[in-house]
Amino acid sequence: MPDRGGGPTGPRIRAGRPSRRVRALLVTLGVLAVLGMAFTMFAGFWTDWLWYRSVHYSSVFTTTLSTKIGLFFVFGLLMALAVGFNIWLAHRLRPPLSAMSMEQQSLDRYRMGIAPYKKWLLLAVTSLVGLIAGASASSQWRTWLMWVNGVPFHQKDPQFHLDVSFYAFDLPWYRFLLGFGFAAAILCLIAAALTHYLYGGLRVTSPGARATAAATGHLSVLLGIFVALKAVAYWLDRYGLAVKSSDFKATGNWTGLRYVDANAYLPAKTILFCIAVICALLFFATLWRRTWQLPVIGFGLMVLSAILIGGLYPAIVQKFQVQPNEQAKEAPYVQKNLKATREAYGIDDAKVTEYAGKSTTSDKTELRSDANDAASIRIMDPNIVSPTFQQLQQMKNYYGFPTNLDVDRYPTKDAKDQDTVIGLRELNLDGVPKNNWINDHFRYTHGYGVVAAKGTEANDGEPVFTEYDLPSRGDLGTYQQRIYYGEKTDTYSIVGGPQKEIDYSDNDGEKTTSYRGKSGVNLDNPVNRAAYAVAFNEPQILYSGAIGKGSRILYNRTPKERVEAVAPWLTIDGDAYPAVVGHRIQWIVDAYTTTNGYPYSSRTTLGDTTADSLTATNNSRAVVAQQNQVNYIRNSVKATVDAYTGEVKLYEWDTKDPVLKTWMKAFPGTVEPRSAISDDLMAHLRYPQDLFKVQRELLTRYHVTDAETFLTGSEVWQVPDDPTNKSGNAVPPYYLSMKMPDQTQQAFSLSTTFTPNGRDNLSAYMTVDAEAGTGDYGKIRILKLPTSTTVDGPKQVQSKFNSEQDIAAAIKLLKGGDSDIEYGNLLTVPLDGGLLYVEPVYVRGGGLKYPLLRKVLVTYEGRTAFENTLGEALDKVFGTKSPTTTTPPDTGTTKPPSTSSPTVKQALQDAQKAFEAGQQALKDGPDWDAYAKAQKDLRDALKRAEEAQSKADRTSGKNKS
């Protein structure tokens, strides 16, 4: 045929339709996108499974996963079937179609449009509501496990006389079922009403009856189900009154029944339950009567009754019965709240003792002697001296210490326990010479060694280290020093493969190592590598040559993170602390079981209650709460995390806690018995800070046991703000070995002070025996100061420190140049009826940019001292020297022995050279590595001098005899 012109010859391409090649490409891209999303989901699931298996807690993963899946499918399917059935039923009950009105003619278009897709539309709607309902139900896995595994408390509430387990374990699950039922009823009602409307069963503008008999019966049954569920809600609300929170003017936050609840709301809920049952029956009766007249009247009466009986009547009772005589009406219920709250928080055995607040001894020599015995006063503040540890013991820039160090007990050479400030030399990637993927994840993988110092001594303002240097050496003996798991280790490392790791450096140069632990997940498998490449968004994991046979990936490396992961039903204390146990470094983590369903016990917010001046500046010390609002708490579990292997162990601590027993039934084999705790580990367990902070907050009001006193509010205390800084947050509690008036010897304790509400003078002093394994562990003692006299509180003591002319002048001199003052922990110690306050004062500045202990503030009975050493300050306050001849644990400079021994002279000459080398290092840069080496040489030389002098003295003694 002749060419008609106008374009190229060949196959025609339809306008707007892509070519076969483009369609194939689009299909391929779509398939790849789906596969990519599927593999991403698989990677998250697979890496979680591998991690739980690596820590030997795979049962936690399988139990939580199977529970979530089971709840998802059961409740998702129930919701889908309920909605789908009602849509199908409404469609089946549709009337014969007759387009007799404009309304029906308009709906005809929609009916015809969806007719070919009715089955698919039904499937889509039911699938959507099923997915949403299933996802909501799966989040209730904790509620389900607690309900199905719940054990009794063997304690009954005072109102309904039901076991506490009903409120803690059963009621939350019943409320979830009720909420699910309401959601299902409402969705079914909406779906059925729309279907009836679409197919003519319901009419809005058409003449005649508004609903067919079939539609009336169907919707009435659904409304009857909804009202029946409301009846169940009214019945459960009766029990909910026992755990209901409300704002009570007399006491603030309140949980449990008050007079108006017991005498108005409780009978009102019972009456409304009966009315709702009758109303539901009236709705069901429309199946026979086919009219909504009676059920609508019944529903209106139920709503009116809810307003009058459930709202107006209680308000009348409160106004005319309670308010005119509130104290007498509320006292019986307050008494129940007092008892339940004290039991739920473990403060029911707190011993309150009257304390004079003034000394009863006139003998100053005796007082000075008693001051030595009253406490091992810790002048090394673990929250101040971290920079000092950093500068003197960091050794390399890629090591670091936490902002807040920890206090523990370690035996001295004479086997006596002493308070010790301890920290780990952890990995600090910010100090790596060159940051890149290999260095950050393969070469610099771990910290090295413990650094510890005496809490009660200082040497020329510096800590007296009992464990020091790199590798660490000192009093702790031999132990595995490598730290692969720590508080500052928040990134992954790949170890054990062809790439060697930097171990540590000494005078002979850099040492390398290769991880030999069994921790982490093996990356030999290419599937594992691909999964982690996706999970960590790091493609180099898939193809890097630094990964080979034996390579393992370590992650989730902070102690709190690991414990929270293996026990997601626990609340984790904010302060994990290290200890050398059985020749290994173990992180010790305190964990709590909680509930907010303890009847009559007032609720508290963990995030607020455990906040203090330390958590304000260090978020890592905040509690990890599974449930922020609680009204029951127990320190039920002590957990350990091995710093080298990452092994997590959970130990049952509170053997009577029903909440822990419930979770142990849900996750069998995850918690080891208390008998498995070794003696070595027991020596380092202590009373946890966050539990103590929760208890002290409750004791500001619940230290009284008399309802009338509680209602007046005259005995309300408060936790004072930290006077040593301007954060405006509560003073943190302090660990201290001390002796309370009823004790014969010092005990490792946790202590705090209270002031009257709105005032600064001292109202009480509280301690708890913190040393595990002792008979008095957990015993709370409160010394209550008299209200007739005024005893200075922490803020007033600090103010007097700062305002005394001589002290202010001395502090001004210390601040000379570019120096700055830092106040350490203000320690309070009961002493012979009075209170001894001690506060170390640090100076930071000059050539050294880290704090040095330079002064000690002491006050007792209005007498104040500001001296170079603790001993001198105590001597000045009491006006006499200590009668003991032992070397006082103070801040004085250690003086070299005076002798004519040649060995001692040589050692002293070496010490002088080391001191001069250190001073020169400070001027040059400063060069911290050289300074640290000089300090090490200085300590070694002084130690040699001391040993030589002791030997010379012994020889001299023998010759004389």
Side-chain angles (χ1 to χ4, degrees):
M1 293 182 66
D3 184 6
R4 307 237 175 163
T9 59
R12 292 185 180 180
I13 301 177
R14 293 182 182 180
R17 184 174 180 180
S19 67
R20 183 178 301 173
R21 182 179 299 175
V22 173
R23 291 201 303 272
L25 179 61
L26 291 174
V27 171
T28 302
L29 290 175
V31 170
L32 290 175
V34 171
L35 290 175
M37 287 188 292
F39 188 77
T40 300
M41 295 174 64
F42 166 78
F45 163 81
W46 185 243
T47 53
D48 284 346
W49 161 249
L50 291 174
W51 186 85
Y52 275 98
R53 191 175 66 174
S54 73
V55 293
H56 308 296
Y57 281 89
S58 54
S59 63
V60 175
F61 179 81
T62 55
T63 299
T64 54
L65 182 64
S66 60
T67 303
K68 289 178 180 179
I69 291 174
L71 292 172
F72 177 86
F73 279 106
V74 168
F75 286 94
L77 189 61
L78 283 175
M79 183 66 80
L81 288 175
V83 174
F85 172 76
N86 279 279
I87 292 175
W88 172 84
L89 184 61
H91 180 265
R92 187 177 180 84
L93 296 176
R94 67 191 184 279
L97 295 178
S98 55
M100 298 178 62
S101 65
M102 293 298 296
E103 181 182 21
Q104 292 302 312
Q105 289 177 9
S106 299
L107 291 173
D108 258 344
R109 290 180 298 168
Y110 297 104
R111 287 192 287 263
M112 294 175 63
I114 66 174
Y117 310 105
K118 282 192 293 186
K119 291 182 179 179
W120 292 106
L121 185 61
L122 178 63
L123 181 63
V125 171
T126 55
S127 297
L128 179 62
V129 296
L131 286 172
I132 295 173
S136 175
S138 67
S139 66
Q140 297 294 320
W141 65 272
R142 290 185 179 87
T143 308
W144 161 260
L145 287 176
M146 293 184 78
W147 178 69
V148 78
N149 295 288
V151 302
F153 277 67
H154 300 296
Q155 289 177 292
K156 294 184 178 181
D157 78 282
Q159 181 67 42
F160 301 102
H161 307 292
L162 296 173
D163 192 90
V164 172
S165 61
F166 171 79
Y167 301 94
F169 306 141
D170 299 343
L171 190 58
W173 178 249
Y174 297 153
R175 280 176 164 167
F176 163 71
L177 292 178
L178 185 64
F180 179 83
F182 273 124
I186 292 171
L187 287 175
C188 290
L189 187 62
I190 293 172
L194 289 175
T195 306
H196 279 301
Y197 177 70
L198 181 64
Y199 288 97
L202 290 177
R203 302 180 181 90
V204 177
T205 60
S206 301
R210 298 298 182 189
T212 63
T216 299
H218 184 196
L219 296 179
S220 294
V221 169
L222 291 176
L223 286 169
I225 292 173
F226 178 86
V227 177
L229 289 172
K230 187 62 180 174
V232 176
Y234 282 133
W235 189 256
L236 287 181
D237 284 348
R238 297 169 68 254
Y239 302 109
L241 292 172
V243 290
K244 183 193 73 170
S245 287
S246 60
D247 187 23
F248 189 11
K249 182 180 178 181
T251 63
N253 180 37
W254 173 271
T255 300
L257 285 85
R258 291 155 50 192
Y259 180 88
V260 70
D261 296 311
N263 295 277
Y265 280 111
L266 186 56
K269 297 292 182 182
T270 305
I271 294 171
L272 289 172
F273 163 76
C274 297
I275 294 173
V277 169
I278 295 171
C279 188
L281 293 175
L282 291 175
F283 273 108
F284 292 141
T286 56
L287 285 173
W288 295 276
R289 299 189 74 255
R290 303 293 181 178
T291 176
W292 279 349
Q293 185 176 5
L294 284 178
V296 168
I297 293 173
F299 186 79
L301 289 174
M302 187 182 75
V303 173
L304 183 62
S305 299
I307 296 172
L308 295 178
I309 302 175
L312 185 60
Y313 174 62
I316 292 173
V317 171
Q318 179 68 26
K319 179 72 174 177
F320 296 102
Q321 290 190 33
V322 178
Q323 288 185 6
N325 192 17
E326 185 174 47
Q327 189 156 325
K329 295 289 187 183
E330 300 289 12
Y333 303 95
V334 170
Q335 200 65 51
K336 296 174 184 178
N337 176 270
L338 282 169
K339 183 176 183 297
T341 302
R342 288 169 63 86
E343 289 174 350
Y345 290 95
I347 57 177
D348 49 327
D349 291 330
K351 182 181 178 182
V352 180
T353 306
E354 297 294 331
Y355 192 68
K358 290 186 177 181
S359 174
T360 58
T361 301
S362 57
D363 188 339
K364 294 182 179 180
T365 303
E366 183 180 346
L367 277 174
R368 179 65 184 88
S369 177
D370 290 344
N372 288 340
D373 298 332
S376 297
I377 298 173
R378 180 173 41 75
I379 54 178
M380 283 289 112
D381 186 348
N383 307 308
I384 296 289
V385 299
S386 179
T388 308
F389 273 51
Q390 185 85 359
Q391 293 296 343
L392 300 181
Q393 289 294 320
Q394 180 187 25
M395 304 306 181
K396 293 294 181 181
N397 288 336
Y398 49 81
Y399 293 131
F401 292 91
T403 305
N404 305 106
L405 303 177
D406 290 289
V407 177
D408 203 347
R409 294 96 61 221
Y410 284 91
T412 59
K413 293 179 180 178
D414 57 359
K416 292 183 179 179
D417 283 350
Q418 70 175 1
D419 292 359
T420 302
V421 178
I422 186 171
L424 300 189
R425 194 182 285 112
E426 294 189 48
L427 178 67
N428 175 27
L429 287 178
D430 292 336
V432 171
K434 184 178 181 181
N435 288 105
N436 55 52
W437 190 63
I438 294 294
N439 277 348
D440 291 352
H441 299 289
F442 290 83
R443 288 183 59 76
Y444 295 92
T445 59
H446 60 278
Y448 209 99
V450 173
V451 177
K454 296 180 181 180
T456 56
E457 297 183 33
N459 182 5
D460 196 22
E462 296 181 356
V464 177
F465 291 108
T466 57
E467 189 76 9
Y468 48 89
D469 286 353
L470 183 67
S472 293
R473 60 190 179 91
D475 296 347
L476 299 184
T478 304
Y479 58 94
Q480 173 57 262
Q481 298 197 20
R482 297 177 182 88
I483 303 161
Y484 283 87
Y485 295 87
E487 290 181 303
K488 297 173 71 69
T489 316
D490 55 3
T491 188
Y492 70 90
S493 288
I494 299 176
V495 298
Q499 179 66 59
K500 290 292 185 180
E501 311 162 44
I502 292 177
D503 203 20
Y504 66 91
S505 299
D506 60 14
N507 293 335
D508 298 327
E510 196 171 78
K511 303 290 190 299
T512 60
T513 188
S514 188
Y515 185 67
R516 291 292 176 261
K518 299 300 181 183
S519 181
V521 178
N522 200 314
L523 293 179
D524 287 352
N525 188 328
V527 175
N528 291 358
R529 293 178 66 170
Y532 279 102
V534 171
F536 289 169
N537 194 27
E538 183 47 74
Q540 292 187 80
I541 294 177
L542 187 60
Y543 55 78
S544 173
I547 302 175
K549 185 175 179 56
S551 291
R552 311 179 72 85
I553 185 168
L554 313 180
Y555 61 105
N556 288 352
R557 297 167 70 184
T558 65
K560 291 195 294 184
E561 189 177 30
R562 291 179 80 77
V563 174
E564 183 193 15
V566 303
W569 36 273
L570 290 174
T571 293
I572 312 301
D573 190 88
D575 183 26
Y577 61 98
V580 177
V581 178
H583 306 292
R584 307 191 73 86
I585 300 173
Q586 298 281 354
W587 288 98
I588 300 175
V589 183
D590 285 287
Y592 311 107
T593 48
T594 62
T595 179
N596 66 356
Y598 198 99
Y600 271 100
S601 173
S602 290
R603 288 185 173 88
T604 188
T605 304
L606 289 180
D608 296 336
T609 308
T610 58
D612 58 27
S613 61
L614 296 183
T615 59
T617 57
N618 186 0
N619 289 332
S620 65
R621 293 181 68 94
V623 65
V624 183
Q626 297 294 340
Q627 194 176 33
N628 201 21
Q629 276 273 329
V630 304
N631 67 353
Y632 171 93
I633 186 170
R634 289 290 186 272
N635 177 211
S636 298
V637 172
K638 301 284 189 180
T640 61
V641 178
D642 192 292
Y644 182 73
T645 66
E647 180 184 21
V648 182
K649 287 187 177 181
L650 307 176
Y651 296 99
E652 181 184 15
W653 185 247
D654 190 332
T655 57
K656 298 179 180 179
D657 178 30
V659 181
L660 177 61
K661 291 182 184 296
T662 296
W663 286 118
M664 289 174 68
K665 279 183 64 180
F667 297 96
T670 57
V671 181
E672 297 187 32
R674 180 167 176 158
S675 59
I677 299 176
S678 66
D679 292 340
D680 198 5
L681 175 58
M682 183 69 77
H684 295 282
L685 299 182
R686 68 190 191 189
Y687 202 84
Q689 289 191 53
D690 283 337
L691 176 60
F692 184 76
K693 287 189 280 188
V694 170
Q695 290 174 327
R696 74 172 179 178
E697 182 64 33
L698 267 296
L699 282 167
T700 58
R701 290 179 295 138
Y702 286 90
H703 62 277
V704 301
T705 56
D706 176 64
E708 292 186 3
T709 305
F710 187 84
L711 281 167
T712 62
S714 61
E715 291 291 330
V716 175
W717 301 337
Q718 66 182 12
V719 179
D721 293 341
D722 191 342
T724 65
N725 58 56
K726 298 179 181 179
S727 66
N729 297 98
V731 61
Y734 296 117
Y735 287 105
L736 186 69
S737 290
M738 58 173 294
K739 183 171 66 174
M740 290 289 280
D742 64 334
Q743 293 176 301
T744 58
Q745 60 184 8
Q746 293 180 14
F748 190 66
S749 305
L750 195 54
S751 62
T752 191
T753 53
F754 294 112
T755 58
N757 194 24
R759 295 165 59 195
D760 293 326
N761 58 289
L762 199 67
S763 58
Y765 179 76
M766 169 183 169
T767 67
V768 63
D769 276 25
E771 188 166 356
T774 61
D776 281 347
Y777 172 82
K779 183 175 182 178
I780 298 174
R781 295 177 173 89
I782 300 175
L783 302 180
K784 184 175 179 295
L785 280 300
T787 56
S788 57
T789 58
T790 301
V791 179
D792 287 344
K795 187 175 181 180
Q796 292 172 322
V797 169
Q798 187 69 46
S799 178
K800 288 184 177 179
F801 279 160
N802 297 335
S803 60
E804 284 209 15
Q805 188 173 359
D806 293 342
I807 295 177
I811 288 177
K812 186 175 181 180
L813 288 175
L814 290 173
K815 287 184 176 181
D818 59 351
S819 298
D820 198 8
I821 292 292
E822 293 187 37
Y823 293 102
N825 36 218
L826 179 58
L827 302 176
T828 310
V829 179
L831 177 63
D832 191 52
L835 290 161
L836 177 70
Y837 286 95
V838 179
E839 183 178 61
V841 178
Y842 296 82
V843 177
R844 184 200 294 256
L848 301 177
K849 298 301 181 182
Y850 60 89
L852 293 175
L853 181 61
R854 291 305 187 199
K855 293 285 185 178
V856 179
L857 281 162
V858 174
T859 185
Y860 184 77
E861 299 275 305
R863 298 185 297 274
T864 302
F866 185 60
E867 302 299 323
N868 295 330
T869 71
L870 175 61
E872 291 173 1
L874 291 172
D875 290 343
K876 183 174 180 179
V877 162
F878 294 108
T880 181
K881 291 185 177 295
S882 173
T884 60
T885 56
T886 56
T887 303
D890 57 29
T891 65
T893 305
T894 301
K895 296 181 180 180
S898 174
T899 181
S900 58
S901 168
T903 307
V904 176
K905 285 184 177 180
Q906 181 60 49
L908 292 178
Q909 289 176 4
D910 293 342
Q912 182 63 31
K913 290 179 181 178
F915 175 77
E916 293 172 355
Q919 294 303 308
Q920 186 62 40
L922 292 175
K923 295 178 182 178
D924 299 340
D927 185 344
W928 296 117
D929 289 340
Y931 178 76
K933 183 179 182 303
Q935 291 298 302
K936 176 179 175 297
D937 293 341
L938 177 60
R939 283 192 296 272
D940 291 343
L942 290 175
K943 186 175 181 180
R944 283 191 282 113
E946 184 178 0
E947 291 172 351
Q949 180 64 36
S950 298
K951 184 177 180 181
D953 290 343
R954 288 196 299 271
T955 302
S956 175
K958 289 179 181 179
N959 292 337
K960 289 180 180 179
S961 63

